[in-house]
Amino acid sequence: MSQDLSTRSSPAALLIPEPRAGRARHAACVLLAVCFVVLFLTGEPLMPIAHRACTQLAALQLGVLLKGCCCLAEEIFHLHSRHSGSLWQMLCACFPPRWHLALLLVSSSAYLDPQEDNGHSPRLTLACLCQLLVLALGLQKLSAVEVSELTESSKKNVAHGLAWSYYVGYLKIVLPRLKECMEEISRVNPMLRAHRDTWKLHILVPLNCDIWDDLEKADSNIQYLADLPETTLTRAGIKGRVYKQSLYVIRDKDNKPRPCVLEFASPLRTLYAMAQDECAAFGREQRLEQARLFYRTLRDILGSSRECAGTYRLIAYEEPAEAESHFLSGLILWHLQQQQREEYMVQEELPLGTCPMELSLQISSSDLPQPLRSDRP
């Protein structure tokens, strides 16, 4: 529940786009219904309307087939390298899944067309000419919205790979041990025990992908305190690989310290470097789109991970137009205060006498079914 509260109240809700909900197809259905109503109101006979509709549909499907033939002319040279030498695999890649239905429509259109020009029907030839002209001039390209939706739905963006790599290669290792590490370091720094509600890894996600190596230089109100206990694992042939996080103190306007485990999302550095390299062909707009998608993907991955629940806080933000010396510390303090409010609201909703860390589902220690405990008389 606290995760829902943070999602609704976080400033990132206005910065990060949600997945598209298929409204374009719904709009197409509405416009289709409108067209049917208009045709009905014209009062024309049904057969001529059905005839013209079939010929138009056949022309559109003909364009799909011609486009597949043009793609086939290229793919035949990559039969072994891209399609493992399989002709069927190459044909399925070039033509739509129901291309045989399109062939049926095209062939039937020759019989549906009225006979003109001394018994000849040039409409099929003219349709081919128009479709090939469109393909030759490159007029049949996907819009930017369609490309974005296609890559997001197929989960083949740069951001998806970076988010999954960050989770599997780092967060999934360190987050489950974070509470244990905080308990250990709190023995040396007792002030940490007063801030258990913020014992999380706070991950900064600047949407411009510009990451500071030294947080103390980014904001003078952020001061390094100590390193958390290290996690050492042998991974990918590296003996004793070390994973660790840093603990900082964030000072507010009254100079009161607030401890916080803090770091930037390091994969954003890759996006920033790609935008600087001409070989990557990665512009500023693409970088911003990928950064937003990285945040959304990472949020969804962590949100579905039980072992990482309650151990992290994602902080997405855009740098203000005018430089502010304490913008970053102010943003982090806002998130720390928000976590305290969420924890307080959760405690208020729990029944009297119930520990905040106790599960709401009461599990009986007996093997026999037992009624759920109730505090009501």
Side-chain angles (χ1 to χ4, degrees), residues 261-282:
V261 183
L262 190 64
E263 65 183 51
F264 282 102
S266 56
L268 294 179
R269 186 182 295 278
T270 302
L271 292 177
Y272 188 84
M274 290 176 67
Q276 305 298 317
D277 196 322
E278 295 181 358
C279 296
F282 212 64

Side-chain angles (χ1 to χ4, degrees), residues 57-287:
L57 183 60
L60 291 174
Q61 296 300 322
L62 179 63
V64 176
L65 287 177
L66 290 173
K67 184 178 180 180
C69 292
C70 296
C71 293
L72 186 63
E74 170 65 32
E75 293 304 304
I76 195 68
F77 292 96
H78 308 280
L79 177 62
H80 295 282
S81 60
R82 293 181 182 269
H83 306 287
S84 304
S86 172
L87 286 173
W88 179 251
Q89 183 178 339
M90 182 181 64
L91 288 174
C92 292
C94 293
F95 295 96
R98 296 182 177 86
W99 61 277
H100 55 277
L101 177 60
L103 278 174
L104 179 62
L105 288 172
V106 171
S107 60
S108 64
S109 69
Y111 297 96
L112 291 173
D113 282 342
Q115 299 299 315
E116 300 175 356
D117 298 338
N118 299 325
H120 297 286
S121 178
R123 292 192 176 186
L124 194 61
T125 305
L126 288 175
C128 291
L129 188 148
C130 293
Q131 292 292 346
L132 290 171
L133 185 62
V134 168
L135 291 172
L137 296 177
L139 302 178
Q140 204 175 33
K141 292 183 178 180
L142 296 177
S143 67
V145 171
E146 291 173 311
V147 173
S148 174
E149 184 174 7
L150 182 63
T151 53
E152 285 186 28
S153 61
S154 62
K155 300 187 184 302
K156 294 179 181 178
N157 278 282
V158 174
H160 282 99
L162 290 177
W164 274 103
S165 176
Y166 187 44
Y167 168 71
V168 175
Y170 177 65
L171 296 179
K172 192 176 180 180
I173 298 171
V174 302
L175 288 181
R177 290 196 66 250
L178 185 68
K179 301 284 187 182
E180 179 184 342
C181 292
M182 291 299 293
E183 286 284 358
E184 185 175 340
I185 198 173
S186 66
R187 300 188 188 103
V188 183
N189 297 275
M191 74 164 186
L192 296 176
R193 297 173 184 172
H195 302 280
R196 287 181 177 271
D197 48 0
T198 58
W199 280 13
K200 300 177 181 180
L201 177 61
H202 297 77
I203 305 172
L204 299 173
V205 185
L207 297 182
N208 64 358
C209 301
D210 193 4
I211 292 178
W212 289 80
D213 288 323
D214 192 341
L215 274 167
E216 292 179 306
K217 294 181 179 178
D219 193 319
S220 59
N221 283 346
I222 302 175
Q223 299 174 1
Y224 170 79
L225 182 61
D227 285 334
L228 267 63
E230 298 177 350
T231 299
T232 305
L233 295 174
T234 297
R235 288 178 66 88
I238 303 174
K239 295 288 187 179
R241 188 167 187 173
V242 175
Y243 301 86
K244 68 176 182 179
Q245 299 75 46
S246 295
L247 181 65
Y248 290 87
V249 168
I250 318 297
R251 297 191 178 275
D252 58 17
K253 59 183 179 180
D254 298 324
N255 205 33
K256 293 181 180 179
R258 292 291 306 272
C260 176
V261 183
L262 190 64
E263 65 183 51
F264 282 102
S266 56
L268 294 179
R269 186 182 295 278
T270 302
L271 292 177
Y272 188 84
M274 290 176 67
Q276 305 298 317
D277 196 322
E278 295 181 358
C279 296
F282 212 64
R284 182 183 178 278
E285 292 182 0
Q286 289 84 359
R287 182 186 69 189

